[in-house]
Amino acid sequence: MSQQTQAKTFEVEEIRKDFPILKRKVNGYPLVYLDNAATGQTPKQVMDAIVDYYSNYNANIHRGVHALSQEATDKYEQARIKIQKHFNAEKAHEIIFTSGTTHGINLVANGFSSILKEGDEILVSAMEHHSNIVPWQMLCEKTGAKLKVIPMDLKGELVISKFEELLNSKTRLVFLNHVSNALGTVNPIKTIIDKAHSVDAAVLIDGAQAAPHIKADVQELDVDFYVVSGHKMCGPTGVGVLYGKEEWLEKLPPYQGGGEMIATVSFEKTTYAGLPHKFEAGTPNICGGIAFGAAIDYMNKIGFTEIAAYEQELLEYATKKLKEIDGMKIYGEAAEKTAVISFNIDGLHPYDLGTLMDKMGIAVRTGHHCAQPIMDFYKIPGTVRASFSFYNTFNEIDLFIEGVKKAKMMLQ
Ligand SMILES: *Cc1c(COP(=O)(O)O)cnc(C)c1O
């Protein structure tokens, strides 16, 4: 399919009208936003949900007898059900609202501190975001459990045979990302989950980077925990969800104490509320949860199959064009990847490249992308990372390629 017909079928220009920010200029140039792996832009349908909430039914949820509180509660719980359906969770109370992926991981890691013992082992992949490394290191310090690393190869794929060697009867937990934010690698999580379950280890998948591109089916995956952030999938910042299998969520102790999470409180003894409230202490991000629901609706209306197919075309086109540039080195060439390209140009610092591109209105990210172990693996300080979304165009990729070439010329 040619670029034009693909773009037409996908109606990217129509989609772009939903994103007011894409019309703005940066440093006198039209914004080319290629930092979608860090945060995605927000369509007006989601902004409308936010304005509607604050204009019409802003109130604290649960236990309120007045109309506004009931409306807010209904909308919030409807959002939970939308998210449940989206990820095909069996039960709505298996969906816990969080402030984002980092919060979800910390909630689970904290819970496991009462389950793990000295000598237990937990496995992490070599290509994790810091938020899926540090909480587990803290857990190991507390419990005496050992952290072991599933290695990766130069293409940016996990070495599954090594994972099999590391797996044993002491393995209690395996955690890794579905998609690497630094490399775009889509990990074979179904294989990993099945193998981990064969030794009765639980699996947590960090879905933050996968969720904007791949619709995960948690029952089909048979995953124990799956965490995402709203802001990477057209929602606002400060909201996310943790999916947990009911049996696991029942087993884990509460993370924070406070209002909402109790059944009864007295100074002698407090009993905890049932799921999901046990993990939702305090007033939640009510508007954020509702807006997250609106974001899921928005993306599903476009369609995840369509989104993935279009983004793959952008990825292939951009990769091919980038490779024509002298001295170009792309990190992460897994057979299966999302539309993320991490690269460097011989002799140039990624920070300098990124800064010059910003002067041309092109937003890319530079640095270690919260994944220092990956940078250490490649023995580099960082990369330039361009990450595409379904609202990016082939024209923007051309501007990006021109920008890279211009910046390179100015620096050499
Ligand atoms: C963005 C990201 C995170 C962190 O998400 P927050 O929203 O900052 O909590 C974790 N893991 C991956 C793979 C990510 O891309």
Side-chain angles (χ1 to χ4, degrees):
M1 219 182 284
S2 81
Q3 290 163 34
Q4 270 76 15
T5 50
Q6 176 65 52
K8 213 163 168 193
T9 324
F10 191 67
E11 306 208 53
V12 65
E13 289 308 329
E14 281 305 306
I15 287 168
R16 287 174 71 82
K17 290 182 189 157
D18 295 334
F19 293 84
I21 205 169
L22 298 178
K23 288 194 205 82
R24 71 162 282 184
K25 293 201 162 161
V26 170
N27 294 320
Y29 292 86
L31 167 68
V32 176
Y33 186 77
L34 304 180
D35 193 20
N36 295 285
T39 203
Q41 295 303 346
T42 313
K44 64 176 193 288
Q45 287 81 346
V46 172
M47 295 181 205
D48 289 347
I50 295 170
V51 171
D52 182 39
Y53 172 79
Y54 284 110
S55 308
N56 295 307
Y57 61 97
N58 176 27
N60 211 332
I61 52 170
H62 301 141
R63 297 175 319 278
V65 293
H66 64 81
L68 261 50
S69 172
Q70 287 184 355
E71 277 177 40
T73 304
D74 287 351
K75 287 271 173 57
Y76 192 64
E77 292 308 321
Q78 280 162 15
R80 193 191 304 275
I81 291 167
K82 277 181 197 174
I83 297 165
Q84 174 208 349
K85 297 229 162 90
H86 177 76
F87 291 107
N88 194 29
E90 193 187 344
K91 297 168 180 148
H93 62 240
E94 291 176 318
I95 299 294
I96 309 296
F97 276 114
T98 63
S99 68
T101 300
T102 304
H103 176 191
I105 294 169
N106 277 279
L107 189 161
V108 175
N110 182 75
F112 268 88
S113 66
S114 66
I115 293 177
L116 295 190
K117 312 177 298 298
E118 185 155 359
D120 284 343
E121 294 179 359
I122 58 187
L123 304 184
V124 55
S125 98
M127 59 173 87
E128 295 308 306
H129 189 283
H130 296 162
S131 72
N132 205 17
I133 300 176
V134 184
W136 305 109
Q137 287 173 325
M138 289 159 67
L139 174 64
C140 286
E141 270 171 35
K142 259 193 259 176
T143 60
K146 256 197 248 143
L147 192 66
K148 299 204 163 168
V149 182
I150 309 163
M152 59 184 262
D153 62 20
L154 282 169
K155 275 171 73 186
E157 292 181 338
L158 291 177
V159 185
I160 299 300
S161 60
K162 290 278 194 258
F163 164 64
E164 289 170 345
E165 283 169 27
L166 288 170
L167 207 56
N168 65 61
S169 59
K170 284 183 274 178
T171 316
R172 302 297 306 277
L173 256 174
V174 177
F175 53 95
L176 74 155
N177 53 38
H178 191 169
V179 170
S180 156
N181 66 302
L183 305 172
T185 306
V186 180
N187 285 311
I189 58 167
K190 181 60 184 152
T191 306
I192 288 172
I193 292 165
D194 289 347
K195 288 190 197 299
H197 284 170
S198 73
V199 299
D200 283 332
V203 181
L204 177 140
I205 299 292
D206 168 355
Q209 202 58 235
H213 319 283
I214 300 168
K215 187 166 173 160
D217 179 329
V218 293
Q219 289 191 73
E220 190 187 307
L221 287 168
D222 196 24
V223 66
D224 302 290
F225 303 99
Y226 196 92
V227 290
V228 300
S229 293
H231 70 96
K232 295 201 179 163
M233 44 191 312
C234 296
T237 54
V239 69
V241 299
L242 157 68
Y243 158 79
K245 273 187 194 160
E246 183 181 47
E247 54 182 295
W248 272 115
L249 294 177
E250 294 287 5
K251 245 183 264 179
L252 298 187
Y255 180 42
Q256 291 180 316
E260 288 282 337
M261 54 73 75
I262 49 87
T264 60
V265 176
S266 73
F267 285 108
E268 288 70 42
K269 183 169 172 56
T270 287
T271 56
Y272 303 129
L275 296 173
H277 308 293
K278 171 178 146 188
F279 292 111
E280 295 182 350
T283 302
N285 184 351
I286 304 165
C287 177
I290 293 167
F292 190 4
I296 295 251
D297 281 346
Y298 178 79
M299 292 194 72
N300 277 307
K301 210 165 144 223
I302 297 175
F304 276 78
T305 314
E306 290 74 10
I307 286 173
Y310 178 69
E311 288 174 348
Q312 278 304 305
E313 299 249 335
L314 292 177
L315 174 67
E316 276 167 34
Y317 182 68
T319 305
K320 183 175 140 272
K321 290 275 175 188
L322 273 181
K323 281 186 168 168
E324 290 165 5
I325 299 173
D326 275 350
M328 175 63 55
K329 167 90 183 97
I330 292 177
Y331 301 92
E333 297 200 86
E336 213 186 322
K337 62 183 275 193
T338 58
V340 169
I341 310 181
S342 249
F343 66 93
N344 276 324
I345 297 177
D346 271 352
L348 303 184
H349 197 284
Y351 180 79
D352 295 335
L353 267 171
T355 306
L356 284 177
M357 290 175 64
D358 177 59
K359 298 259 182 292
M360 303 172 223
I362 302 163
V364 290
R365 192 151 286 254
T366 63
H368 56 57
H369 318 296
C370 291
Q372 272 180 5
I374 298 183
M375 304 302 135
D376 293 346
F377 174 76
Y378 287 113
K379 300 188 173 60
I380 49 176
T383 68
V384 180
R385 181 187 70 187
S387 51
F388 311 126
S389 177
F390 58 88
Y391 45 68
N392 289 125
T393 63
F394 287 95
N395 179 48
E396 285 182 311
I397 307 252
D398 288 338
L399 292 171
F400 159 64
I401 300 289
E402 258 172 57
V404 174
K405 287 182 181 162
K406 255 191 232 163
K408 175 175 186 265
M409 236 161 53
M410 287 158 85
L411 291 166
Q412 276 174 342

